[in-house]
């Protein structure tokens, strides 16, 4: 059973517009969430994170919103640029998870069209 | 760049042969992970290590074994390669188990089993 779900396999956005990538989770014990970005032929790289004590975290053009009651988070990219075209993975970690690794979603491929 | 390297970067092997992939880090991080990435499945955890000689299984561990005899090296072995193990394999490292420590990924190994 998937604990972290990214229900949109792909998303296409015009350059300059907003990109919104969504992520849902089922485990109410998750307390820390991350977004990773992956270009072809490279490993994923950390993009932005948010703790469950916050509902928003911003870093330049990237903002992550967390809605704990809905078990939903979203990544907003404004304005979108062609260089943002990549696969984005949502990941989560649980309180008192011991050595348990991050749980990743299946990813969303973002294409930003010039 | 982060001190994590994977070798080989590409490999083609025949069905039924054993294959070993290597992950080497120079960061002295305690935690190391092996993931595979497949279309439609995202990043799936194969095995992970939380210290020298301390390893545990992930969600897709069947057909794989790992060894960690020293902090810097984490080996992934396909005991008898099958076509279903054709994939891109990523190694990751982390200072600690909690998500706040973040994961650093290697550049990946593309394995083709023919």
């Amino acid at each position: 059973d998937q604990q972290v779900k990214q229900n949109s396999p792909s998303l296409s956005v015009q350059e300059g517009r907003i990109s919104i990538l969504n992520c849902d989770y089922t485990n109410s014990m998750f307390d820390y969430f991350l977004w990773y970005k992956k270009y072809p032929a490279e490993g994923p790289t950390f993009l932005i994170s948010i703790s469950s004590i916050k509902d928003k975290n911003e870093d330049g053009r990237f903002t992550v919103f967390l809605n704990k009651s809905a078990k939903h988070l979203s990544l907003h990219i404004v304005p979108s640029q062609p260089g943002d075209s990549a696969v984005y993975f949502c990941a989560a970690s649980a309180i008192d998870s011991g050595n348990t690794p991050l749980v990743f979603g299946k990813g969303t491929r973002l294409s930003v069209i010039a | 760049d982060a001190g994590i390297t994977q070798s080989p970067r590409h490999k083609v092997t025949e069905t039924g042969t054993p294959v070993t992939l290597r992950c080497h880090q120079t960061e002295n991080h305690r935690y190391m992970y092996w993931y595979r990435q497949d279309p439609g499945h995202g990043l799936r955890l194969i095995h992970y290590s939380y210290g020298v000689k301390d390893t545990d299984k992930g969600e897709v561990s069947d057909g794989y074994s790992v060894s960690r005899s020293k902090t810097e090296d984490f080996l992934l072995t396909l005991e008898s390669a099958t076509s279903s193990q054709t994939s891109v394999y990523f190694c990751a490292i982390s200072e600690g188990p909690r998500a706040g420590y973040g994961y650093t990924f290697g550049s990946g190994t593309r394995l083709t089993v023919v």
Side-chain angles (χ1 to χ4, degrees):
Chain A
D1 185 32
Q2 266 193 285
Q3 297 187 70
V4 177
K5 301 178 184 180
Q6 294 179 258
N7 293 318
S8 298
S10 63
L11 175 68
S12 187
V13 173
Q14 280 198 316
E15 182 179 6
R17 305 296 291 268
I18 183 171
S19 295
I20 301 176
L21 292 86
N22 294 304
C23 179
D24 297 295
Y25 61 96
T26 58
N27 188 340
S28 59
M29 299 300 288
F30 284 152
D31 68 336
Y32 201 88
F33 305 88
L34 307 90
W35 286 93
Y36 283 81
K37 177 179 182 178
K38 186 187 177 305
Y39 291 118
E42 296 182 11
T45 56
F46 170 75
L47 183 60
I48 193 169
S49 63
I50 188 167
S51 165
S52 60
I53 63 173
K54 295 184 175 182
D55 54 17
K56 176 183 174 181
N57 188 27
E58 193 170 354
D59 183 2
R61 296 185 297 112
F62 302 91
T63 303
V64 56
F65 295 92
L66 176 62
N67 182 333
K68 289 186 289 294
S69 61
K71 295 191 178 66
H72 176 83
L73 64 156
S74 60
L75 173 68
H76 292 213
I77 306 174
V78 183
S80 301
Q81 299 174 353
D84 297 328
S85 297
V87 177
Y88 290 79
F89 292 100
C90 174
S93 176
I95 300 168
D96 296 327
S97 59
N99 292 319
T100 305
L102 291 178
V103 179
F104 284 86
K106 292 186 177 182
T108 296
R109 181 178 301 278
L110 173 66
S111 299
V112 180
I113 304 164
Chain B
D1 207 0
I4 176 171
T5 55
Q6 292 184 232
S7 58
R9 290 297 310 277
H10 302 273
K11 186 170 182 65
V12 179
T13 192
E14 292 186 348
T15 299
T17 61
V19 177
T20 295
L21 309 183
R22 181 184 185 228
C23 179
H24 178 77
Q25 59 143 332
T26 57
E27 304 296 320
N28 201 36
H29 286 349
R30 180 180 169 191
Y31 294 81
M32 300 185 76
Y33 311 87
W34 277 108
Y35 287 86
R36 60 179 287 177
Q37 186 196 8
D38 304 288
H41 291 280
L43 290 167
R44 293 184 292 173
L45 181 67
I46 305 171
H47 282 278
Y48 64 102
S49 170
Y50 46 94
V52 173
K53 299 192 189 303
D54 291 322
T55 64
D56 206 347
K57 295 179 179 180
E59 65 176 300
V60 290
S61 59
D62 287 348
Y64 301 94
S65 62
V66 288
S67 66
R68 186 142 178 231
S69 59
K70 45 187 179 177
T71 299
E72 57 265 37
D73 288 323
F74 192 32
L75 304 180
L76 175 71
T77 297
L78 288 65
E79 293 140 10
S80 177
T82 67
S83 59
S84 66
Q85 293 176 311
T86 291
S87 185
V88 181
Y89 292 85
F90 289 100
C91 176
I93 60 175
S94 175
E95 286 185 80
R98 296 287 286 129
Y101 289 98
Y103 285 16
T104 300
F105 283 85
S107 299
T109 294
R110 182 173 294 276
L111 176 69
T112 303
V113 183
V114 297

